[in-house]
Amino acid sequence: MKRFLIISNRLPVQIAISDDNIDVTPSVGGLATGMQSVSKSFKSSWIGWSGVEAQNLSSEQQKKVDNALAKENCIDVNLTEEEVELYYEGFSNKTIWPLFHYFSQFVEYEEDQWQAYKAVNQKFADVIAENMEGVDKIWVHDYHLLLLPQMIKERFPEVTIGFFLHIPFPSYEVFRILPWRNEIINGMLGADLLGFHTFDYERHFMSSVRRLLGYDIQINEISLPRRIVKVDNFPMGIDYDKFHDAAIASQKKSVRDKSEVRKELERYYLLYPETKFILSIDRLDYSKGLINRLEAFEYFLQEYPEYRDKVTLVLLAVPSRVGVEQYQQMKSEVDEIVGRVNGKYSSINRMPIWYFYRSLPFQNLVDLYNYCEIALITPIRDGMNLVAKEFIASKTDGRGVLILSEMAGASKEMSEALIINPNDKAQIAAAIQTAIEMPDEEQIERNTILQKRLKRYNVEKWANDFLNSLEKVKMSEEIYLAKKLTKIAQKSLVKDICGSDSRVFFLDYDGTLTGFKNNPGHAKPDEALYDLLDELDANPKNKVVLISGRDKDTFEKWFGHKPYTLIVEHGVWVRSPEKTWQMIEPLDDSWKESIRSSLEFYVDRTPGSFIEEKNYSLVWHYRKSDPELGVNRAIELKDELTSLVTNLNLEILEGNKVIEIKNRGINKGRAAQKLLHEFPAEKIVAIGDDWTDEFLFAEIPDSAITIKVGLAKTIAKYKVENVTEVRQLLKEFCC
Ligand SMILES: O=P(O)(O)OC[C@H]1O[C@H](O[C@H]2O[C@H](CO)[C@@H](O)[C@H](O)[C@H]2O)[C@H](O)[C@@H](O)[C@@H]1O
Ligand SMILES: O=c1ccn([C@@H]2O[C@H](COP(=O)(O)OP(=O)(O)O)[C@@H](O)[C@H]2O)c(=O)[nH]1
Ligand SMILES: [Mg+2]
């Protein structure tokens, strides 16, 4: 049976060494808690860091660590103290983490941290390489390992790679700040499937790909020169039943078996039955918005004095990344505010904030979720936030109110919560009051909907969805590659062609014989191309037909002196060798003025775009424009032209970053048919890259050898990857 590998910086268990004892404890944080449930239900090994700095270990201890991890199906990537400092605390948590959470003021740009980041990603690739036996799929997680997909793809091109980002992907305007932005995007594009929590993160990523690398994107697929990468959003779920069942079981426990937390909460409640517990749980991280939460709570106590004796904020801050300065600073700030609020609003018996700086075992956590009436979750930015989901799952009688920041990925799926802006103290305070006063029926109504969704789209479903998509990507990749011209097929084509007595070669120009340039006028034929076409044409058995959307004057300039047949403007004009240009059929151009004014309006509003005028068509080019603006404007323009073109008997042709308006019914297929009528040939070859070439493939006889350049969908029989391969093939047809 095939194995698959899960890769993340932090393993689901953490190792602590004291004297000769090895302590294995579950890791804290959404990735580990969520994926832990997943890894148990699949046959997989998990590769990551155990939390121990390797150079402190004797070989005896390392052996013990490895054994302890092996029991959990985990494999250790040793990190040295220096690597932890530069790669984990450094580039991961001082550069990417703050930048991707929009804290650009905290971002460090240190070359040595970047170098360490690359080296550790490579180290992960090495450990993966040692464990590849029987592996056909690898699922890489999170921002520590953004370069890893490409590193694996280079070494193991056959293996299918999925990548999931657990934190936000920022808007391009923020991402572009990073000096190493291109390397990072390219690293991620080594994956076959890229997953994000929300559609917003996905579209931010796509925008960066478009702007930085200029790749073509069709809805959620990116066409790389040799591969397709699929991008989608998969909002991570939780192990719903685990929380829900544990909460039910806990309620049934006898006093003796109850957790300390539960006993404490119950005792307090007996004394002060009017108390509402407001729960706040997260890692102590500036992205989680602890400061603004505490300030909003303080504001609430100040502005709503009637509630002072009726609320207690249970604040659980889990220690995290304590080696990073901002985290240390924040700890002091939190301590200070908690002190201030408690100092100001405590009475002899009551303290408004119960503050814990530690992590709690699962059962205590569930009891907190289950017992506290309100959860106050106010991150400034958060990839997802599983705590919000766990709180709702642990509500056994449907009561409970969730106050959730609109900046958490989870808010996209949890609109039944009270959604707040984490920077708006007054709004948060008002939400606390609403939560306290919310009637039970309303709480139950909201939570029933939330619970149903969380139970259905749980973490297992999330992982299955991701892995199924990964499987499909593999399949569609196979379909894409299915038409790829193999060496064997090529040999037999060449044999076929060379054994025949007459052949016609229909060759598209841009994207087929030459690569694209920003300015179409610069995509001139080079000497090697002239030589190749001359050689092909020299054989009297061959007829070379260049068939293009280009205008007549350009082709006259470039190929007028050559003895090839030229068909231009998608089939308006033909020029046979040693003859003059002829119109294939009579056409009208009186419509141009009315269309031109529409196009000019778009040129004015779309910097970088321009109009190309041909004899019987007008073309709006947007290759040099902002890619997203260009696509949007193209949609608008098409929309605007639709009614105009029908009345004028025109049609719109959408090509590669161009929109062309021309007389209806004129296309390369029709022109090729006419030519074949005059010059029937034993063998017909047609090569093209654009979808306008699909007309050509469709209209010529079924026996023709049709070849698409690139990976896109086609009715052609074969695909080649690029201009170089086209030229190599034509060279072989010179026989
Ligand atoms: O490993 P640490 O440095 O101790 O940090 C803990 C984890 O924090 C981050 O969690 C994120 O993943 C959650 C699940 O997808 C998501 O709900 C949350 O919004 C994210 O912040 C981090 O992404 C993990 O890699 C860390 O292990
Ligand atoms: O003492 C604690 C507090 C929290 N958690 C877990 O830590 C995770 C936090 O994930 P979240 O997505 O909310 O944020 P992250 O810390 O990953 O940014 C949740 O699954 C919690 O159950 C835990 O294991 N022990
Ligand atoms: Mg072309």
Side-chain angles (χ1 to χ4, degrees), residues 651-676:
E651 71 186 359
I652 303 173
L653 208 67
E654 212 185 341
N656 199 324
K657 308 273 195 294
V658 295
I659 292 208
E660 178 150 6
I661 300 95
K662 60 176 196 54
N663 290 72
R664 182 173 296 280
I666 297 297
N667 63 49
K668 289 182 180 178
R670 184 141 139 194
Q673 258 183 338
K674 288 207 165 159
L675 191 121
L676 285 173

Side-chain angles (χ1 to χ4, degrees), residues 28-30 33 283 288 316 318 359-360 365 369 385-387 390:
V28 181
T33 52
R283 285 180 300 101
K288 299 285 185 184
L316 175 64
V318 180
S359 75
L360 289 183
L365 213 57
Y369 287 145
N385 197 296
L386 299 182
V387 165
E390 293 167 1

Side-chain angles (χ1 to χ4, degrees), residues 213-343:
L213 304 178
Y215 289 140
D216 265 351
I217 294 177
Q218 297 88 32
I219 309 174
N220 61 352
E221 285 183 352
I222 306 171
S223 304
L224 304 193
R226 304 177 60 94
R227 295 189 301 119
I228 300 284
V229 178
K230 184 141 187 248
V231 184
D232 211 340
N233 62 88
F234 305 85
M236 188 180 195
I238 54 163
D239 190 340
Y240 182 90
D241 290 340
K242 183 170 138 193
F243 284 89
H244 197 74
D245 296 349
I248 292 176
S250 172
Q251 283 174 320
K252 292 188 188 144
K253 279 184 184 162
S254 64
V255 180
R256 202 170 36 114
D257 294 334
K258 285 185 180 171
S259 71
E260 274 314 307
V261 163
R262 190 163 198 109
K263 279 194 255 184
E264 200 50 51
L265 290 168
E266 286 180 353
R267 206 164 25 237
Y268 195 81
Y269 194 68
L270 280 179
L271 287 173
Y272 305 102
E274 263 195 90
T275 296
K276 297 274 183 190
F277 287 108
I278 304 178
L279 180 64
S280 152
I281 298 185
D282 19 41
R283 285 180 300 101
L284 195 122
D285 189 315
Y286 50 81
S287 66
K288 299 285 185 184
L290 263 92
I291 306 286
N292 46 295
R293 186 176 318 164
L294 284 166
E295 285 176 356
F297 184 63
E298 186 178 25
Y299 179 90
F300 173 75
L301 295 177
Q302 187 187 306
E303 298 295 318
Y304 297 77
E306 66 276 24
Y307 291 102
R308 280 184 198 159
D309 288 335
K310 295 186 185 133
V311 289
T312 300
L313 177 65
V314 182
L315 183 74
L316 175 64
V318 180
S320 180
R321 306 169 195 168
V322 288
V324 179
E325 198 191 317
Q326 272 91 23
Y327 289 73
Q328 296 158 5
Q329 244 171 38
M330 214 192 122
K331 165 80 172 53
S332 328
E333 261 180 90
V334 169
D335 290 353
E336 195 190 306
I337 304 180
V338 170
R340 186 175 74 215
V341 177
N342 276 343

Side-chain angles (χ1 to χ4, degrees), residues 28 31 38 112 115 117 134 192 263 285 299 343 382 387 398 426 430 459 475 534 562 576 587 638:
V28 181
L31 188 160
V38 174
D112 57 339
Q115 291 304 336
Y117 184 81
D192 300 289
K263 279 194 255 184
D285 189 315
Y299 179 90
D382 207 339
V387 165
V459 71
M475 271 154 43
D534 285 346
K562 291 289 180 186
S576 302
L587 291 172
K638 261 194 323 189

